[in-house]
Amino acid sequence: MTAKLLSVNVGMPKDVSWQGKTVHTGVWKHPVTGPRLVRRLNIDGDGQGDLQGHGGEQRAVLVYQIQSYAHWQEHFGRSDFEYGQFGENFTVDGLPDDEVCVGDRYRIGEAEFEVTQPRVTCYRVGMRLGEPELPALLVSHHRPGFYLRVITEGVVRAGDDIVKTRTGPGALSVADIDALLYLPGRDPDHLRRALAVPALSPGWQQSFRDMTAAGTAAGAGAGVGARAEAWPGFRPLRVTGLVHETPSVLSVELAADDGGALPAAEAGQYLTLRVGGAGDPPPVRSYSLSSAPGAAAYRVSVKREEFGLVSRYLHTGLRVGAVLEVAAPRGDFVLVPEAGPVVLVSAGVGATPVMAMLHRLAAEHTARPVWWIHAARNRGEHLFAREAHALLHGLPEAHEHVFYTAQNDATDDGDGVRAEVHRGRPTLESMAALGLPADATAYLCGPAPFMAAMRTTLTTIGLADDRIHTELFGALAAINPGLTARPAVAPHQPPGEPGTEPLITFARSGLSVRWSPRHRSVLDLADACDVPTRWSCRTGVCHTCTTQLLAGDVEYAPDPLEPPPAGEVLICCARPRHDLVLDL
């Protein structure tokens, strides 16, 4: 039986109110009559609101089948569907997902198309139908639909026959490819076969390359490259030393309370502290490790903030012998073992993680060229000046540059440390004059404006953007596809009556909130508190929302299609069983 184009559906993006926010989306598609010209990037009269996940050459046309319409009408007990209901451009009779293969080509009217990938799992299709679990169901029921690339532009219309003109290599159906990314029990042979399909879109190819490179068929949901934590939750560590590095920065040394050896941290990781003496409930804060990896004690270096509850307590109330609750070292801003030049760039207390990296390089007696670039206000606030200089002095090819931003500061620090000192903030001109090698890997840490400026500067003078690694203070940048921009708001207690159930602590945001069942998930609670979050499907499929769980336990509703690794949680469908501490 010949497949047939039943309806051509188009729609331009519009703003839609959703859960107190505004979503800019093109998921509302409606049938059109008569011919429509299909161009390389789109159908005339059609558009997408979020071009990161939809649209473009590889996703020019979305296809969905009338047979799947019937399936979902029965599943939901509904009879109100109309063409375009699932956000598709072509509603078709035939072309089932378990038979159509990536790389297949079809002629429809005057145009020719190639299948490139399954539909991207996305919350907006659930929003369109009023069925929030639909993104997960599309995957678990093996009915995602698929995208087409336009090979030959031309006119199409409802009623056109769909004629197959070529069979794609690999014989991997749309449903097969979709399951490889989103479902457990992946076949490594299927991964290799998928990578051999030239028509597969670059984004999906990269996902499968990442899985293969990690040596596992773990997929998007199993945390490829995730690091096992040294211990679960929090454990007591005893304060064994307090050192005032500068008037505003205090180093706190921590050893195992039982006298045992501490697991080695990776250079660049951080500790999360629960500080019982600073408030009720005890606040949680994260601080980068500045000590040498493998040292007998962990060292964190904390800047005193004028209104910082925890930093003020650590600076004025903490004593040697005190016990703090500490979560295991964690974080992905770590020194990568390789042979090329390394550039360590920091400002102020941002020197802490790159100091640990410098310790690592010194302990290894590295032959790599090492560039140490640090910005401080003046000599008195130059963090780790002697320590960094001594480590660099022992390396065969080290370059030390310090920028004092107070214009009246002397270029000679006068304390026996002989770094090359520059006046003023590092600029494009002054950084270019340093002669940094273009093949270097750079690690940057400091306040957000400094980080943004340094990344731009380094790429301008020739460093590759993908070889520049950054660690920003505070919460991670949000990933909220489709939401319209709005002014940033500091994390806060949610509106309405306070909750009375388990305590949810967002460690990076410095916020603790009592849970209330009026929130559907931990993600919904974070949204209500303006805690920066990362998500896409909101139903436990894509794992974009995977978050490290520092303490506590959750239950899921709905159950994710694939559970996250131990020590992580999918906040989009999680609810607390007990108090939680999350790395958000």
Side-chain angles (χ1 to χ4, degrees):
M1 178 179 175
T2 301
K4 190 171 289 292
L5 178 60
L6 299 179
S7 179
V8 178
N9 315 301
V10 301
M12 296 303 294
K14 62 180 180 179
D15 289 344
V16 178
S17 179
W18 173 78
Q19 295 190 4
K21 301 176 177 63
T22 300
V23 179
H24 187 64
T25 178
V27 75
W28 266 261
K29 308 295 185 189
H30 300 285
V32 295
T33 58
R36 282 285 164 135
L37 178 60
V38 181
R39 304 181 190 272
R40 184 175 63 88
L41 297 180
N42 233 326
I43 302 172
D44 279 359
D46 192 47
Q48 293 80 32
D50 172 23
L51 293 176
Q52 294 296 316
H54 308 276
E57 183 177 359
Q58 301 294 325
R59 300 176 298 231
V61 177
L62 180 61
V63 176
Y64 209 55
Q65 308 89 352
I66 195 65
Q67 288 77 12
S68 288
Y69 268 68
H71 174 84
W72 297 118
Q73 284 181 305
E74 181 178 356
H75 179 85
F76 291 119
R78 294 175 57 170
S79 59
D80 58 338
F81 292 167
E82 58 184 28
Y83 292 147
Q85 190 88 33
F86 291 81
E88 80 277 10
N89 301 114
F90 289 172
T91 312
V92 301
D93 184 2
L95 305 186
D97 289 332
D98 59 358
E99 294 183 11
V100 169
C101 294
V102 172
D104 286 354
R105 290 190 178 185
Y106 296 92
R107 178 165 293 280
I108 307 174
E110 298 176 355
E112 187 174 15
F113 305 88
E114 182 175 60
V115 180
T116 58
Q117 66 172 71
R119 175 203 301 264
V120 176
T121 181
C122 170
Y123 73 102
R124 281 159 288 201
V125 66
M127 179 180 72
R128 169 72 174 88
L129 269 78
E131 303 285 355
E133 294 186 19
L134 183 61
L137 295 173
L138 291 173
V139 176
S140 62
H141 288 224
H142 305 286
R143 294 178 177 273
F146 55 87
Y147 282 105
L148 298 173
R149 179 167 70 96
V150 179
I151 303 297
T152 303
E153 296 182 347
V155 171
V156 301
R157 70 185 75 206
D160 283 343
D161 288 339
I162 303 175
V163 180
K164 189 174 186 180
T165 59
R166 193 181 80 173
T167 298
L172 284 173
S173 73
V174 167
D176 290 335
I177 293 284
D178 199 52
L180 270 180
L181 189 65
Y182 293 127
L183 295 177
R186 298 171 181 85
D187 184 340
D189 179 61
H190 279 193
L191 274 177
R192 289 187 290 270
R193 287 167 55 194
L195 285 170
V197 179
L200 184 63
S201 65
W204 285 61
Q205 288 185 19
Q206 186 59 52
S207 295
F208 293 149
R209 278 196 297 269
D210 290 344
M211 295 180 196
T212 304
T216 175
V224 173
R227 294 174 169 83
E229 307 306 340
W231 64 81
F234 288 81
R235 63 175 286 188
L237 296 185
R238 188 168 298 277
V239 178
T240 57
L242 297 170
V243 177
H244 287 276
E245 307 283 0
T246 72
S248 62
V249 177
L250 173 72
S251 283
V252 180
E253 296 180 355
L254 298 162
D257 189 42
D258 59 8
L262 290 172
E266 294 191 55
Q269 291 190 307
Y270 60 88
L271 294 181
T272 301
L273 280 57
R274 185 158 56 191
V275 184
D280 184 24
V284 174
R285 298 290 188 274
S286 296
Y287 300 106
S288 295
L289 285 156
S290 58
S291 49
Y298 294 144
R299 180 181 71 176
V300 293
S301 301
V302 181
K303 180 181 179 182
R304 178 167 180 171
E305 302 292 347
E306 183 179 358
F307 301 107
L309 173 68
V310 174
S311 70
R312 187 170 65 248
Y313 167 76
L314 295 177
H315 274 254
T316 62
L318 193 63
R319 299 291 183 267
V320 171
V323 174
L324 300 177
E325 293 291 311
V326 182
R330 65 189 68 231
D332 296 324
F333 179 67
V334 297
L335 185 67
V336 178
E338 53 188 356
V342 59
V343 178
L344 305 176
V345 186
S346 59
V349 76
T352 50
V354 293
M355 190 70 222
M357 296 179 184
L358 182 57
H359 271 289
R360 167 66 74 194
L361 293 166
E364 294 172 348
H365 305 288
T366 185
R368 300 171 66 180
V370 177
W371 299 73
W372 176 266
I373 301 168
H374 179 68
R377 178 170 174 77
N378 52 43
R379 294 191 308 273
E381 296 180 23
H382 184 174
L383 185 60
F384 305 130
R386 288 184 173 276
E387 185 176 337
H389 182 77
L391 293 172
L392 291 161
H393 184 70
L395 297 178
E397 192 175 344
H399 309 264
E400 185 177 5
H401 296 272
V402 177
F403 289 80
Y404 288 147
T405 60
Q407 292 297 309
N408 61 350
D409 208 350
T411 57
D412 181 359
D413 61 17
D415 64 358
V417 176
R418 290 293 181 263
E420 185 169 346
V421 181
H422 310 262
R423 291 190 190 186
R425 301 179 185 279
T427 63
L428 175 59
E429 182 181 10
S430 60
M431 290 290 286
L434 301 184
L436 300 178
D439 61 341
T441 300
Y443 299 86
L444 318 182
C445 188
F450 173 84
M451 306 302 301
M454 283 298 97
R455 177 180 283 276
T456 300
T457 294
L458 291 176
T459 55
T460 300
I461 64 179
L463 274 69
D465 186 71
D466 61 359
R467 298 185 69 84
I468 300 174
H469 307 286
T470 60
E471 174 80 318
L472 294 178
F473 299 136
L476 297 171
I479 299 176
N480 306 153
L483 295 191
T484 58
R486 58 176 186 161
V489 177
H492 55 81
Q493 293 291 324
E497 287 293 321
T500 59
E501 298 194 15
L503 186 71
I504 315 298
T505 296
F506 301 108
R508 286 179 181 260
S509 300
L511 179 69
S512 294
V513 181
R514 287 286 175 187
W515 173 257
S516 169
R518 71 175 182 270
H519 301 292
R520 190 182 66 87
S521 66
V522 172
L523 175 56
D524 282 354
L525 173 62
D527 286 347
C529 298
D530 285 303
V531 169
T533 54
R534 298 178 166 204
W535 48 264
S536 180
C537 72
R538 301 184 72 100
T539 55
V541 180
C542 70
H543 288 240
T544 303
C545 73
T546 301
T547 300
Q548 289 195 317
L549 177 65
L550 279 65
D553 190 20
V554 301
E555 59 187 10
Y556 287 110
D559 287 332
L561 298 187
E562 181 174 18
E568 297 183 353
V569 61
L570 300 180
I571 60 172
C572 73
C573 52
R575 299 167 66 90
R577 294 182 187 271
H578 311 289
D579 290 356
L580 299 180
V581 181
L582 298 166
D583 190 29
L584 280 174

